[in-house]
């Protein structure tokens, strides 16, 4: 099979809740997502998506994704989309770094591999584990009482895992964690995600003040080294996210016993091919994972579902259903949350069929 064309679309994804706020005064109200179609000489098309969490979260931004795809796409015409290892080598040789740029293309080629073989991507990644899997719900930064009140609301929607957006001053964050913890019921999981927002001394104060709370601490500080200091200071279970940008960082973290859980975001590491390598390594050494992406709509939610659903349950800490956070649906067949849980499609590929009326015309295409 050969790639005969690549089309790129842009879609705005507004949030049901108006805006999403995290550390450092950052917020996004409309996500700018990029959808890629990879056309082939076999007459089948694969679909992928990339959606950075604004420009301030990671070294990634929406127009950068499109600029990067425009750089790479002409060099991929004629390549075999089913030879995913070779395809990734080709992308890495053509462009150093910029993993998020490559993610939507790699995702589209997994969709093609599934369609060409008549198998769901989850089957190609190890098989659907059980009927479905549990999701977490991010709780946007707000006052302690407002964030605590969200727990009851989201629990009524079926969620049992709650990720508080903290990462501001120590006193407010300690109050947020205590207020939220007071609302927990048996079986609930609470995560305090600072999104790199604490300096090391602030993180030390917070983890000391919540040492008796049943809470996970996620990515307290900006650098890996600062996180490691906090990790060695606290006995709360510990999650690394932003600094885990590739398999080399996972290997380093394993060697340092730097985390109990990682947050594996598909575009952060360059696509499903590399995310699956990391997933399999983590399963082999006993590190649990939240499997998700920086943000996205129906296609990214489908890709998350296939990778998460094919992960052994005890190592799947949680996952995210981004398409339920946003008001725009653009693909039929995308997984839909049911009582806080999600399932990957049993259809070939990612199992999604984009609605072209919503996507509109390509912003750019290559033949
Ligand atoms: Mg996080």
């Amino acid at each position: 099979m050969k790639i005969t064309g690549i089309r790129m679309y842009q879609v705005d994804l507004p949030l049901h809740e108006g805006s999403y706020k995290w550390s450092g005064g950052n917020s996004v109200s409309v996500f700018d997502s990029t959808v890629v179609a990879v056309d082939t000489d076999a007459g089948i098309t694969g679909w992928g998506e990339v959606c950075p969490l604004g420009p301030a979260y990671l070294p990634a931004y929406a127009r950068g994704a499109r600029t990067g795809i425009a750089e790479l796409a002409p060099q991929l015409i004629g390549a075999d989309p089913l030879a995913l290892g070779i395809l990734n080598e080709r992308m890495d040789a053509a462009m150093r770094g910029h993993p998020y740029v490559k993610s939507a293309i790699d995702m589209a080629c997994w969709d093609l591999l599934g369609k060409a073989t008549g198998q769901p991507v989850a089957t190609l990644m190890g098989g659907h584990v059980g009927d479905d899997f549990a999701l977490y719900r991010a709780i946007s930064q707000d006052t302690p009482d407002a964030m605590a009140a969200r727990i009851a609301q989201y629990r009524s929607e079926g969620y049992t895992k709650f990720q508080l957006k903290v990462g501001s001053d120590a006193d407010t964050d300690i109050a947020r964690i205590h207020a939220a913890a007071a609302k927990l019921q048996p079986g609930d999981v609470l995560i305090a995600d600072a999104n790199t927002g604490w300096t090391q001394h602030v993180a030390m104060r917070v983890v000391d003040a919540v040492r008796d709370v049943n809470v996970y601490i996620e990515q307290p500080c900006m650098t890996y080294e600062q996180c490691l200091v906090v990790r060695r200071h606290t006995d709360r279970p510990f999650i690394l996210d932003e600094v885990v940008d590739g398999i080399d960082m996972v290997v380093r973290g394993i060697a340092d016993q730097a985390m109990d859980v990682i947050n594996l975001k598909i575009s952060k590491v360059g696509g499903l091919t590399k995310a699956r390598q990391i997933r399999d390594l983590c399963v082999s050494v006993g590190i649990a994972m939240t499997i998700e992406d920086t943000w996205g709509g129906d296609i990214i939610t489908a890709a998350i579902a296939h990778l998460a659903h094919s992960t052994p349950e005890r190592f799947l800490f949680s996952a995210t259903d981004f398409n339920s956070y946003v008001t725009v649906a653009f693909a039929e067949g995308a997984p839909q949350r049911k009582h806080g849980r999600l399932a990957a499609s049993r259809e070939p590929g990612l199992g999604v069929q984009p609605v072209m009326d919503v996507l509109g015309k390509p912003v750019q295409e290559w033949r």
Side-chain angles (χ1 to χ4, degrees):
M1 193 180 290
K2 281 190 167 53
I3 296 173
T4 54
I6 296 178
R7 291 171 279 144
M8 182 166 72
Y9 300 83
Q10 189 276 333
V11 58
D12 283 337
L13 303 175
L15 282 164
H16 282 295
E17 292 183 359
S19 72
Y20 180 74
K21 300 189 185 77
W22 70 99
S23 69
N26 288 298
S27 73
V28 171
S29 52
V30 179
F31 284 90
D32 180 345
S33 199
T34 300
V35 171
V36 166
V38 174
D39 297 319
T40 66
D41 61 356
I44 54 175
T45 294
W47 292 90
E49 182 186 5
V50 58
C51 185
L53 179 51
Y57 174 66
L58 288 176
Y61 65 108
R63 280 183 289 180
R66 292 192 284 277
T67 302
I69 290 165
E71 181 75 23
L72 273 182
Q75 304 181 58
L76 300 176
I77 305 298
D80 181 353
L82 308 188
L84 280 151
I86 296 168
L87 183 94
N88 272 275
E89 283 273 314
R90 188 162 171 164
M91 288 198 288
D92 288 341
M95 178 183 286
R96 182 174 295 198
H98 303 279
Y100 73 112
V101 165
K102 301 158 186 171
S103 186
I105 295 168
D106 176 75
M107 194 180 289
C109 292
W110 273 95
D111 189 30
L112 283 167
L113 181 62
K115 286 171 173 166
T117 57
Q119 299 294 335
V121 170
T123 300
L124 301 174
M125 292 190 158
H128 296 77
V129 177
D131 294 331
D132 56 13
F133 55 89
L135 300 162
Y136 83 82
R137 182 72 199 202
I139 299 181
S140 185
Q141 209 170 76
D142 207 330
T143 63
D145 286 347
M147 291 175 79
R150 289 284 191 194
I151 289 189
Q153 178 205 328
Y154 293 142
R155 189 189 292 105
S156 75
E157 297 171 17
Y159 293 103
T160 59
K161 299 167 189 248
F162 308 101
Q163 188 199 70
L164 297 178
K165 291 295 165 191
V166 289
S168 44
D169 69 278
D171 291 337
T172 304
D173 284 339
I174 292 164
R176 284 169 171 150
I177 294 167
H178 280 124
K183 304 287 185 187
L184 296 181
Q185 293 180 2
D188 286 351
V189 172
L190 183 68
I191 303 132
D193 185 0
N195 288 112
T196 74
W198 291 328
T199 51
Q200 194 171 300
H201 70 97
V202 169
M204 293 299 215
R205 283 182 59 198
V206 176
V207 297
D208 273 351
V210 303
R211 73 172 86 76
D212 296 322
V213 178
N214 184 7
V215 63
Y216 289 70
I217 304 296
E218 179 165 337
Q219 188 73 40
C221 303
M222 185 64 81
T223 71
Y224 174 78
E225 290 76 11
Q226 292 160 354
C227 289
L228 194 55
V229 170
V230 179
R231 156 71 165 178
R232 289 172 173 165
H233 178 78
T234 179
D235 56 8
R236 298 300 82 200
F238 206 81
I239 305 172
L240 287 179
D241 181 352
E242 281 88 337
V243 295
V244 181
D245 56 1
I247 200 163
D248 52 341
M249 281 304 300
V250 180
V251 170
R252 190 174 168 200
I254 292 166
D256 292 338
Q257 299 180 318
M259 70 281 174
D260 306 293
V261 180
I262 65 161
N263 192 317
L264 178 55
K265 292 185 162 86
I266 294 168
S267 64
K268 185 176 60 174
V269 300
L272 279 170
T273 299
K274 290 173 180 172
R276 186 187 65 157
Q277 290 172 345
I278 291 172
R279 189 275 308 266
D280 289 346
L281 172 63
C282 285
V283 168
S284 296
V285 300
I287 300 289
M289 290 154 279
T290 286
I291 293 180
E292 58 166 350
D293 208 327
T294 47
W295 210 272
D298 284 325
I299 297 174
I300 279 173
T301 302
I304 291 167
H306 286 279
L307 184 60
H309 205 152
S310 58
T311 300
E313 196 174 8
R314 66 193 184 284
F315 295 117
L316 185 63
F317 183 66
S318 65
T320 317
D321 60 320
F322 286 115
N323 63 350
S324 83
Y325 288 63
V326 300
T327 61
V328 172
F330 60 81
E332 290 170 3
Q336 304 297 328
R337 166 170 52 90
K338 286 199 185 72
H339 206 66
R341 301 181 72 86
L342 201 68
S345 170
R346 308 274 172 163
E347 297 296 314
L350 294 172
V352 292
Q353 190 52 50
V355 179
M356 300 315 294
D357 284 349
V358 180
L359 287 184
K361 293 218 175 326
V363 293
Q364 210 167 346
E365 58 186 311
W366 302 268
R367 293 282 145 200

